[in-house]
Amino acid sequence: MKLVDAHFHLDLHKNPPAIIAECESKQIYTIAVTNAPSVFFHTLRLAADTKYVRAALGLHPELVATHAHELPQLLRQLDQTRYIGEVGLDYVTTDSALRSAQRRVFEVTLSRCAELGGKIITVHSRRSAGDVLACIGTSFPGSIILHWFSGSLRDLRAGLAAGCHFSVNPAMLRSEHGRDLIRALPRTCILTETDGPFVQVDGRGAVPSDAIQAVNGLAKLWGIDSQEAAAIVLSNFENIIAPTNPPDSRQITA
Ligand code: MN
């Protein structure tokens, strides 16, 4: 069974080469997000020559306060990868100047990605789903993956209407609200992720092979077996990464 981990922090693991070896041998498609442009190159080198691990260039909204000066570096590096993340907004902070600095970084990043086209962007939207979706708009020329989405059902429908995908993790499946959101999503727009090491599994930071837990949770919600759930997720991911991916090919059912 091939797995998908659409959001994993490879560079925060203590042994990235071991994780990469496991992704390659178990054929786990993994988007290795980074939190700042200054650490992207390291992950890009680690992921070079792999089939399953893709390095993503990001500037995490919670790091905007300290790393906003790296935005020009991010924009310069955008042509080095098709994968972008972790980017987005995080409104745990109530500081309006900081929120607006986050929006500026996110908007500039999205706008340059839109110009380049075809990017696959993994997006953080904690307590900020409405503004995140406003920044993305309704016809973004690229693939948006809303990672660990925790907004309202209304926000979720707006994300669907905008053509977004949603990557779900074991923590989301443990939460009642998380499961409610997943039930409201068509199967064709769901991916799995671990967000390790931030998501914990069995008292340790999750790793890409733990995407099986998300698959098992989806299988249970969908009333199908895990093999079948994994095949659906894999097919969704393959549609996104296909070089000819037309942005609006997915049927909106919600
Ligand atoms: Mn993350």
Side-chain angles (χ1 to χ4, degrees):
M1 172 193 309
K2 277 190 178 182
L3 296 172
V4 173
D5 185 349
H7 188 108
F8 175 66
H9 294 267
L10 178 68
D11 60 345
L12 300 183
H13 192 273
K14 63 181 184 315
N15 191 352
I19 295 292
I20 287 174
E22 185 175 37
C23 292
E24 292 293 291
S25 68
K26 294 186 177 166
Q27 304 182 311
I28 308 170
Y29 280 113
T30 300
I31 300 180
V33 296
T34 54
N35 287 342
S38 51
V39 296
F40 167 68
F41 188 63
H42 177 64
T43 297
L44 185 67
R45 282 182 56 171
L46 282 170
D49 307 323
T50 69
K51 176 164 162 46
Y52 290 95
V53 182
R54 286 99 202 274
L57 168 66
L59 208 175
H60 196 290
E62 287 181 286
L63 291 191
V64 163
T66 52
H67 290 67
H69 62 278
E70 292 189 17
L71 178 61
Q73 185 180 349
L74 180 143
L75 299 175
R76 279 197 307 275
Q77 291 175 322
L78 275 178
D79 60 355
Q80 294 180 26
T81 178
R82 193 178 171 202
Y83 298 85
I84 310 300
E86 177 161 5
V87 293
L89 303 176
D90 188 303
Y91 284 179
V92 168
T93 176
T94 52
D95 180 333
S96 62
L98 190 47
R99 286 183 174 188
S100 92
Q102 288 182 14
R103 280 194 299 275
R104 183 178 166 272
V105 165
F106 187 45
E107 283 167 355
V108 170
T109 302
L110 285 173
S111 150
R112 185 69 186 125
C113 286
E115 283 169 23
L116 294 167
K119 298 295 190 192
I120 296 165
I121 312 177
T122 175
V123 176
H124 177 107
S125 58
R126 183 162 52 173
R127 299 190 196 171
S128 56
D131 277 5
V132 161
L133 291 164
C135 290
I136 291 166
T138 52
S139 56
F140 187 81
S143 298
I144 301 287
I145 303 171
L146 295 171
H147 122 81
W148 198 344
F149 188 80
S150 58
S152 66
L153 276 168
R154 194 180 147 194
D155 293 330
L156 178 128
R157 289 190 191 102
L160 277 175
C164 298
H165 285 74
F166 295 75
S167 56
V168 312
N169 63 47
M172 209 174 153
L173 280 150
R174 288 194 290 260
S175 123
E176 186 141 358
H177 181 57
R179 289 192 302 272
D180 283 344
L181 292 170
I182 293 165
R183 281 190 202 98
L185 289 170
R187 294 177 189 182
T188 48
C189 67
I190 291 187
L191 302 171
T192 48
E193 63 162 54
T194 65
D195 199 18
F198 297 105
V199 165
Q200 297 262 310
V201 164
D202 304 328
R204 55 165 175 84
V207 294
S209 56
D210 293 316
I212 186 63
Q213 299 214 6
V215 165
N216 291 341
L218 287 172
K220 201 170 156 195
L221 280 185
W222 292 343
I224 59 179
D225 66 37
S226 293
Q227 291 281 353
E228 204 180 336
I232 290 170
V233 170
L234 179 64
S235 155
N236 295 342
F237 189 71
E238 286 173 341
N239 284 337
I240 290 177
I241 64 173
T244 53
N245 170 35
D248 294 311
S249 61
R250 182 162 51 78
Q251 195 84 33
I252 304 297
T253 56

mmCIF file of all heavy atoms in Angstrom, residues 155-196:
data_model
loop_
_atom_site.group_PDB
_atom_site.id
_atom_site.type_symbol
_atom_site.label_atom_id
_atom_site.label_comp_id
_atom_site.label_asym_id
_atom_site.label_seq_id
_atom_site.Cartn_x
_atom_site.Cartn_y
_atom_site.Cartn_z
ATOM 1 N N ASP A 155 -16.506 27.756 6.150
ATOM 2 C CA ASP A 155 -15.179 27.993 5.558
ATOM 3 C C ASP A 155 -14.764 26.809 4.689
ATOM 4 O O ASP A 155 -14.184 26.971 3.610
ATOM 5 C CB ASP A 155 -14.122 28.181 6.645
ATOM 6 C CG ASP A 155 -14.311 29.457 7.450
ATOM 7 O OD1 ASP A 155 -14.837 30.436 6.889
ATOM 8 O OD2 ASP A 155 -13.933 29.463 8.638
ATOM 9 N N LEU A 156 -15.061 25.627 5.195
ATOM 10 C CA LEU A 156 -14.701 24.418 4.455
ATOM 11 C C LEU A 156 -15.380 24.395 3.082
ATOM 12 O O LEU A 156 -14.754 24.077 2.063
ATOM 13 C CB LEU A 156 -15.090 23.192 5.287
ATOM 14 C CG LEU A 156 -14.849 21.821 4.669
ATOM 15 C CD1 LEU A 156 -14.064 20.941 5.625
ATOM 16 C CD2 LEU A 156 -16.166 21.160 4.359
ATOM 17 N N ARG A 157 -16.646 24.781 3.062
ATOM 18 C CA ARG A 157 -17.359 24.805 1.773
ATOM 19 C C ARG A 157 -16.761 25.858 0.852
ATOM 20 O O ARG A 157 -16.674 25.652 -0.365
ATOM 21 C CB ARG A 157 -18.851 25.053 1.997
ATOM 22 C CG ARG A 157 -19.522 23.841 2.626
ATOM 23 C CD ARG A 157 -21.040 23.926 2.656
ATOM 24 N NE ARG A 157 -21.540 22.853 3.504
ATOM 25 C CZ ARG A 157 -21.957 23.016 4.768
ATOM 26 N NH1 ARG A 157 -21.991 24.225 5.310
ATOM 27 N NH2 ARG A 157 -22.346 21.977 5.477
ATOM 28 N N ALA A 158 -16.325 26.969 1.440
ATOM 29 C CA ALA A 158 -15.682 28.006 0.611
ATOM 30 C C ALA A 158 -14.374 27.462 0.029
ATOM 31 O O ALA A 158 -14.047 27.719 -1.137
ATOM 32 C CB ALA A 158 -15.426 29.255 1.446
ATOM 33 N N GLY A 159 -13.635 26.706 0.846
ATOM 34 C CA GLY A 159 -12.396 26.101 0.355
ATOM 35 C C GLY A 159 -12.652 25.120 -0.775
ATOM 36 O O GLY A 159 -11.925 25.081 -1.764
ATOM 37 N N LEU A 160 -13.701 24.342 -0.622
ATOM 38 C CA LEU A 160 -14.067 23.382 -1.672
ATOM 39 C C LEU A 160 -14.436 24.104 -2.956
ATOM 40 O O LEU A 160 -14.007 23.724 -4.048
ATOM 41 C CB LEU A 160 -15.282 22.560 -1.233
ATOM 42 C CG LEU A 160 -15.022 21.366 -0.345
ATOM 43 C CD1 LEU A 160 -16.351 20.764 0.080
ATOM 44 C CD2 LEU A 160 -14.164 20.346 -1.079
ATOM 45 N N ALA A 161 -15.230 25.153 -2.800
ATOM 46 C CA ALA A 161 -15.670 25.902 -3.984
ATOM 47 C C ALA A 161 -14.467 26.521 -4.691
ATOM 48 O O ALA A 161 -14.487 26.712 -5.907
ATOM 49 C CB ALA A 161 -16.666 26.979 -3.584
ATOM 50 N N ALA A 162 -13.405 26.813 -3.925
ATOM 51 C CA ALA A 162 -12.205 27.397 -4.520
ATOM 52 C C ALA A 162 -11.290 26.321 -5.105
ATOM 53 O O ALA A 162 -10.214 26.627 -5.608
ATOM 54 C CB ALA A 162 -11.457 28.223 -3.476
ATOM 55 N N GLY A 163 -11.699 25.044 -4.982
ATOM 56 C CA GLY A 163 -10.909 23.965 -5.581
ATOM 57 C C GLY A 163 -9.780 23.453 -4.709
ATOM 58 O O GLY A 163 -8.877 22.773 -5.200
ATOM 59 N N CYS A 164 -9.820 23.774 -3.417
ATOM 60 C CA CYS A 164 -8.738 23.337 -2.524
ATOM 61 C C CYS A 164 -8.829 21.847 -2.219
ATOM 62 O O CYS A 164 -9.904 21.256 -2.249
ATOM 63 C CB CYS A 164 -8.810 24.091 -1.193
ATOM 64 S SG CYS A 164 -8.616 25.871 -1.357
ATOM 65 N N HIS A 165 -7.670 21.268 -1.884
ATOM 66 C CA HIS A 165 -7.614 19.937 -1.286
ATOM 67 C C HIS A 165 -7.391 20.112 0.221
ATOM 68 O O HIS A 165 -6.998 21.184 0.675
ATOM 69 C CB HIS A 165 -6.476 19.122 -1.892
ATOM 70 C CG HIS A 165 -6.779 18.626 -3.274
ATOM 71 N ND1 HIS A 165 -6.777 19.447 -4.371
ATOM 72 C CD2 HIS A 165 -7.099 17.387 -3.719
ATOM 73 C CE1 HIS A 165 -7.090 18.737 -5.444
ATOM 74 N NE2 HIS A 165 -7.297 17.485 -5.081
ATOM 75 N N PHE A 166 -7.628 19.040 0.947
ATOM 76 C CA PHE A 166 -7.495 19.095 2.407
ATOM 77 C C PHE A 166 -6.642 17.921 2.852
ATOM 78 O O PHE A 166 -6.968 16.764 2.536
ATOM 79 C CB PHE A 166 -8.879 19.001 3.073
ATOM 80 C CG PHE A 166 -9.775 20.180 2.772
ATOM 81 C CD1 PHE A 166 -10.390 20.316 1.528
ATOM 82 C CD2 PHE A 166 -9.993 21.165 3.732
ATOM 83 C CE1 PHE A 166 -11.190 21.406 1.248
ATOM 84 C CE2 PHE A 166 -10.799 22.265 3.454
ATOM 85 C CZ PHE A 166 -11.397 22.385 2.201
ATOM 86 N N SER A 167 -5.535 18.195 3.593
ATOM 87 C CA SER A 167 -4.737 17.072 4.102
ATOM 88 C C SER A 167 -5.068 16.854 5.573
ATOM 89 O O SER A 167 -5.017 17.785 6.375
ATOM 90 C CB SER A 167 -3.242 17.293 3.859
ATOM 91 O OG SER A 167 -2.761 18.485 4.400
ATOM 92 N N VAL A 168 -5.437 15.618 5.886
ATOM 93 C CA VAL A 168 -5.923 15.304 7.235
ATOM 94 C C VAL A 168 -4.912 14.414 7.953
ATOM 95 O O VAL A 168 -4.249 13.591 7.333
ATOM 96 C CB VAL A 168 -7.320 14.649 7.203
ATOM 97 C CG1 VAL A 168 -8.265 15.439 6.311
ATOM 98 C CG2 VAL A 168 -7.267 13.209 6.734
ATOM 99 N N ASN A 169 -4.787 14.623 9.255
ATOM 100 C CA ASN A 169 -3.784 13.895 10.031
ATOM 101 C C ASN A 169 -4.430 13.155 11.200
ATOM 102 O O ASN A 169 -5.625 13.327 11.479
ATOM 103 C CB ASN A 169 -2.687 14.873 10.484
ATOM 104 C CG ASN A 169 -3.205 15.954 11.412
ATOM 105 O OD1 ASN A 169 -3.938 15.665 12.357
ATOM 106 N ND2 ASN A 169 -2.838 17.197 11.145
ATOM 107 N N PRO A 170 -3.647 12.319 11.884
ATOM 108 C CA PRO A 170 -4.218 11.524 12.974
ATOM 109 C C PRO A 170 -4.849 12.378 14.084
ATOM 110 O O PRO A 170 -5.882 11.986 14.651
ATOM 111 C CB PRO A 170 -3.011 10.729 13.497
ATOM 112 C CG PRO A 170 -2.098 10.598 12.313
ATOM 113 C CD PRO A 170 -2.254 11.895 11.568
ATOM 114 N N ALA A 171 -4.283 13.543 14.374
ATOM 115 C CA ALA A 171 -4.854 14.385 15.440
ATOM 116 C C ALA A 171 -6.236 14.894 15.035
ATOM 117 O O ALA A 171 -7.170 14.964 15.845
ATOM 118 C CB ALA A 171 -3.919 15.561 15.742
ATOM 119 N N MET A 172 -6.374 15.227 13.773
ATOM 120 C CA MET A 172 -7.656 15.713 13.251
ATOM 121 C C MET A 172 -8.720 14.613 13.346
ATOM 122 O O MET A 172 -9.882 14.882 13.669
ATOM 123 C CB MET A 172 -7.426 16.089 11.793
ATOM 124 C CG MET A 172 -8.296 17.173 11.276
ATOM 125 S SD MET A 172 -7.750 17.571 9.593
ATOM 126 C CE MET A 172 -9.324 18.185 8.984
ATOM 127 N N LEU A 173 -8.285 13.395 13.083
ATOM 128 C CA LEU A 173 -9.229 12.274 13.139
ATOM 129 C C LEU A 173 -9.592 11.909 14.574
ATOM 130 O O LEU A 173 -10.620 11.278 14.814
ATOM 131 C CB LEU A 173 -8.638 11.059 12.410
ATOM 132 C CG LEU A 173 -8.816 11.173 10.890
ATOM 133 C CD1 LEU A 173 -7.704 10.471 10.139
ATOM 134 C CD2 LEU A 173 -10.181 10.638 10.469
ATOM 135 N N ARG A 174 -8.768 12.332 15.542
ATOM 136 C CA ARG A 174 -9.095 12.081 16.944
ATOM 137 C C ARG A 174 -10.102 13.107 17.465
ATOM 138 O O ARG A 174 -10.672 12.939 18.535
ATOM 139 C CB ARG A 174 -7.817 12.151 17.814
ATOM 140 C CG ARG A 174 -6.863 10.971 17.619
ATOM 141 C CD ARG A 174 -5.801 10.901 18.716
ATOM 142 N NE ARG A 174 -4.798 11.959 18.657
ATOM 143 C CZ ARG A 174 -3.566 11.804 18.128
ATOM 144 N NH1 ARG A 174 -3.186 10.644 17.626
ATOM 145 N NH2 ARG A 174 -2.715 12.806 18.105
ATOM 146 N N SER A 175 -10.256 14.225 16.732
ATOM 147 C CA SER A 175 -11.143 15.299 17.213
ATOM 148 C C SER A 175 -12.516 15.209 16.549
ATOM 149 O O SER A 175 -12.633 14.922 15.351
ATOM 150 C CB SER A 175 -10.483 16.656 16.942
ATOM 151 O OG SER A 175 -11.294 17.482 16.158
ATOM 152 N N GLU A 176 -13.534 15.460 17.350
ATOM 153 C CA GLU A 176 -14.900 15.364 16.830
ATOM 154 C C GLU A 176 -15.141 16.378 15.706
ATOM 155 O O GLU A 176 -15.723 16.063 14.671
ATOM 156 C CB GLU A 176 -15.889 15.579 17.976
ATOM 157 C CG GLU A 176 -17.307 15.343 17.536
ATOM 158 C CD GLU A 176 -18.129 14.641 18.607
ATOM 159 O OE1 GLU A 176 -17.583 14.297 19.672
ATOM 160 O OE2 GLU A 176 -19.317 14.445 18.347
ATOM 161 N N HIS A 177 -14.668 17.616 15.931
ATOM 162 C CA HIS A 177 -14.831 18.644 14.890
ATOM 163 C C HIS A 177 -14.073 18.239 13.623
ATOM 164 O O HIS A 177 -14.578 18.405 12.512
ATOM 165 C CB HIS A 177 -14.335 20.001 15.404
ATOM 166 C CG HIS A 177 -14.486 21.117 14.406
ATOM 167 N ND1 HIS A 177 -15.696 21.473 13.845
ATOM 168 C CD2 HIS A 177 -13.569 21.953 13.838
ATOM 169 C CE1 HIS A 177 -15.521 22.481 12.993
ATOM 170 N NE2 HIS A 177 -14.236 22.783 12.967
ATOM 171 N N GLY A 178 -12.860 17.696 13.829
ATOM 172 C CA GLY A 178 -12.075 17.235 12.684
ATOM 173 C C GLY A 178 -12.835 16.197 11.877
ATOM 174 O O GLY A 178 -12.892 16.269 10.646
ATOM 175 N N ARG A 179 -13.427 15.245 12.566
ATOM 176 C CA ARG A 179 -14.178 14.191 11.857
ATOM 177 C C ARG A 179 -15.409 14.771 11.158
ATOM 178 O O ARG A 179 -15.759 14.371 10.044
ATOM 179 C CB ARG A 179 -14.568 13.069 12.817
ATOM 180 C CG ARG A 179 -13.380 12.218 13.269
ATOM 181 C CD ARG A 179 -13.823 10.939 13.972
ATOM 182 N NE ARG A 179 -14.650 11.182 15.144
ATOM 183 C CZ ARG A 179 -14.188 11.382 16.372
ATOM 184 N NH1 ARG A 179 -12.887 11.368 16.602
ATOM 185 N NH2 ARG A 179 -15.021 11.606 17.376
ATOM 186 N N ASP A 180 -16.072 15.743 11.810
ATOM 187 C CA ASP A 180 -17.231 16.383 11.167
ATOM 188 C C ASP A 180 -16.822 17.059 9.855
ATOM 189 O O ASP A 180 -17.538 16.986 8.850
ATOM 190 C CB ASP A 180 -17.848 17.441 12.090
ATOM 191 C CG ASP A 180 -18.691 16.800 13.192
ATOM 192 O OD1 ASP A 180 -19.024 15.604 13.059
ATOM 193 O OD2 ASP A 180 -18.994 17.492 14.182
ATOM 194 N N LEU A 181 -15.665 17.731 9.894
ATOM 195 C CA LEU A 181 -15.190 18.397 8.676
ATOM 196 C C LEU A 181 -14.902 17.367 7.584
ATOM 197 O O LEU A 181 -15.293 17.541 6.424
ATOM 198 C CB LEU A 181 -13.913 19.200 8.976
ATOM 199 C CG LEU A 181 -14.078 20.432 9.876
ATOM 200 C CD1 LEU A 181 -12.704 20.979 10.273
ATOM 201 C CD2 LEU A 181 -14.881 21.522 9.173
ATOM 202 N N ILE A 182 -14.236 16.291 7.969
ATOM 203 C CA ILE A 182 -13.856 15.275 6.973
ATOM 204 C C ILE A 182 -15.101 14.649 6.337
ATOM 205 O O ILE A 182 -15.145 14.405 5.132
ATOM 206 C CB ILE A 182 -12.955 14.199 7.614
ATOM 207 C CG1 ILE A 182 -11.615 14.819 8.019
ATOM 208 C CG2 ILE A 182 -12.730 13.024 6.657
ATOM 209 C CD1 ILE A 182 -10.788 13.973 8.970
ATOM 210 N N ARG A 183 -16.129 14.411 7.172
ATOM 211 C CA ARG A 183 -17.378 13.839 6.638
ATOM 212 C C ARG A 183 -18.016 14.757 5.610
ATOM 213 O O ARG A 183 -18.739 14.305 4.723
ATOM 214 C CB ARG A 183 -18.380 13.601 7.771
ATOM 215 C CG ARG A 183 -18.102 12.335 8.567
ATOM 216 C CD ARG A 183 -19.270 12.027 9.513
ATOM 217 N NE ARG A 183 -18.808 11.188 10.600
ATOM 218 C CZ ARG A 183 -18.459 11.608 11.814
ATOM 219 N NH1 ARG A 183 -18.564 12.898 12.115
ATOM 220 N NH2 ARG A 183 -18.024 10.766 12.718
ATOM 221 N N ALA A 184 -17.764 16.064 5.742
ATOM 222 C CA ALA A 184 -18.390 17.025 4.820
ATOM 223 C C ALA A 184 -17.603 17.168 3.514
ATOM 224 O O ALA A 184 -18.007 17.906 2.626
ATOM 225 C CB ALA A 184 -18.511 18.384 5.501
ATOM 226 N N LEU A 185 -16.462 16.489 3.420
ATOM 227 C CA LEU A 185 -15.618 16.630 2.225
ATOM 228 C C LEU A 185 -15.838 15.485 1.244
ATOM 229 O O LEU A 185 -15.933 14.332 1.650
ATOM 230 C CB LEU A 185 -14.135 16.616 2.631
ATOM 231 C CG LEU A 185 -13.605 17.830 3.379
ATOM 232 C CD1 LEU A 185 -12.205 17.544 3.911
ATOM 233 C CD2 LEU A 185 -13.587 19.059 2.492
ATOM 234 N N PRO A 186 -15.878 15.789 -0.049
ATOM 235 C CA PRO A 186 -15.871 14.705 -1.029
ATOM 236 C C PRO A 186 -14.534 13.954 -0.939
ATOM 237 O O PRO A 186 -13.499 14.559 -0.686
ATOM 238 C CB PRO A 186 -15.989 15.415 -2.379
ATOM 239 C CG PRO A 186 -15.986 16.863 -2.120
ATOM 240 C CD PRO A 186 -15.874 17.123 -0.656
ATOM 241 N N ARG A 187 -14.563 12.661 -1.141
ATOM 242 C CA ARG A 187 -13.340 11.856 -1.007
ATOM 243 C C ARG A 187 -12.251 12.294 -1.977
ATOM 244 O O ARG A 187 -11.069 12.107 -1.706
ATOM 245 C CB ARG A 187 -13.666 10.383 -1.250
ATOM 246 C CG ARG A 187 -14.563 9.812 -0.179
ATOM 247 C CD ARG A 187 -14.923 8.367 -0.493
ATOM 248 N NE ARG A 187 -15.962 7.910 0.436
ATOM 249 C CZ ARG A 187 -16.469 6.692 0.447
ATOM 250 N NH1 ARG A 187 -16.043 5.789 -0.420
ATOM 251 N NH2 ARG A 187 -17.393 6.356 1.311
ATOM 252 N N THR A 188 -12.670 12.859 -3.100
ATOM 253 C CA THR A 188 -11.696 13.230 -4.138
ATOM 254 C C THR A 188 -10.812 14.413 -3.756
ATOM 255 O O THR A 188 -9.866 14.714 -4.471
ATOM 256 C CB THR A 188 -12.424 13.603 -5.437
ATOM 257 O OG1 THR A 188 -13.472 14.519 -5.096
ATOM 258 C CG2 THR A 188 -12.991 12.382 -6.116
ATOM 259 N N CYS A 189 -11.134 15.104 -2.666
ATOM 260 C CA CYS A 189 -10.283 16.261 -2.345
ATOM 261 C C CYS A 189 -9.505 16.034 -1.058
ATOM 262 O O CYS A 189 -8.975 16.982 -0.497
ATOM 263 C CB CYS A 189 -11.114 17.531 -2.285
ATOM 264 S SG CYS A 189 -12.214 17.495 -0.936
ATOM 265 N N ILE A 190 -9.420 14.779 -0.614
ATOM 266 C CA ILE A 190 -8.739 14.498 0.646
ATOM 267 C C ILE A 190 -7.368 13.857 0.421
ATOM 268 O O ILE A 190 -7.212 12.945 -0.380
ATOM 269 C CB ILE A 190 -9.614 13.588 1.542
ATOM 270 C CG1 ILE A 190 -10.837 14.380 2.011
ATOM 271 C CG2 ILE A 190 -8.812 13.063 2.729
ATOM 272 C CD1 ILE A 190 -11.698 13.673 3.019
ATOM 273 N N LEU A 191 -6.387 14.380 1.163
ATOM 274 C CA LEU A 191 -5.048 13.789 1.223
ATOM 275 C C LEU A 191 -4.757 13.466 2.686
ATOM 276 O O LEU A 191 -5.460 13.949 3.575
ATOM 277 C CB LEU A 191 -4.008 14.787 0.711
ATOM 278 C CG LEU A 191 -4.205 15.291 -0.718
ATOM 279 C CD1 LEU A 191 -3.228 16.428 -1.004
ATOM 280 C CD2 LEU A 191 -4.011 14.157 -1.709
ATOM 281 N N THR A 192 -3.719 12.677 2.915
ATOM 282 C CA THR A 192 -3.300 12.431 4.295
ATOM 283 C C THR A 192 -1.991 13.170 4.565
ATOM 284 O O THR A 192 -1.242 13.509 3.641
ATOM 285 C CB THR A 192 -3.108 10.928 4.549
ATOM 286 O OG1 THR A 192 -2.317 10.378 3.494
ATOM 287 C CG2 THR A 192 -4.442 10.208 4.599
ATOM 288 N N GLU A 193 -1.737 13.433 5.839
ATOM 289 C CA GLU A 193 -0.495 14.071 6.282
ATOM 290 C C GLU A 193 -0.205 13.587 7.696
ATOM 291 O O GLU A 193 -1.064 12.946 8.320
ATOM 292 C CB GLU A 193 -0.652 15.597 6.287
ATOM 293 C CG GLU A 193 -1.730 16.077 7.292
ATOM 294 C CD GLU A 193 -1.622 17.553 7.659
ATOM 295 O OE1 GLU A 193 -1.610 18.390 6.748
ATOM 296 O OE2 GLU A 193 -1.569 17.851 8.872
ATOM 297 N N THR A 194 1.012 13.901 8.174
ATOM 298 C CA THR A 194 1.283 13.628 9.592
ATOM 299 C C THR A 194 1.582 14.907 10.375
ATOM 300 O O THR A 194 1.381 14.948 11.583
ATOM 301 C CB THR A 194 2.483 12.662 9.776
ATOM 302 O OG1 THR A 194 3.662 13.311 9.291
ATOM 303 C CG2 THR A 194 2.238 11.337 9.072
ATOM 304 N N ASP A 195 2.124 15.942 9.696
ATOM 305 C CA ASP A 195 2.590 17.145 10.375
ATOM 306 C C ASP A 195 3.552 16.816 11.515
ATOM 307 O O ASP A 195 3.645 17.553 12.486
ATOM 308 C CB ASP A 195 1.436 18.022 10.892
ATOM 309 C CG ASP A 195 1.863 19.456 11.173
ATOM 310 O OD1 ASP A 195 2.929 19.869 10.670
ATOM 311 O OD2 ASP A 195 1.143 20.167 11.896
ATOM 312 N N GLY A 196 4.262 15.693 11.397
ATOM 313 C CA GLY A 196 5.274 15.384 12.396
ATOM 314 C C GLY A 196 6.368 16.431 12.356
ATOM 315 O O GLY A 196 6.630 16.995 11.295
#
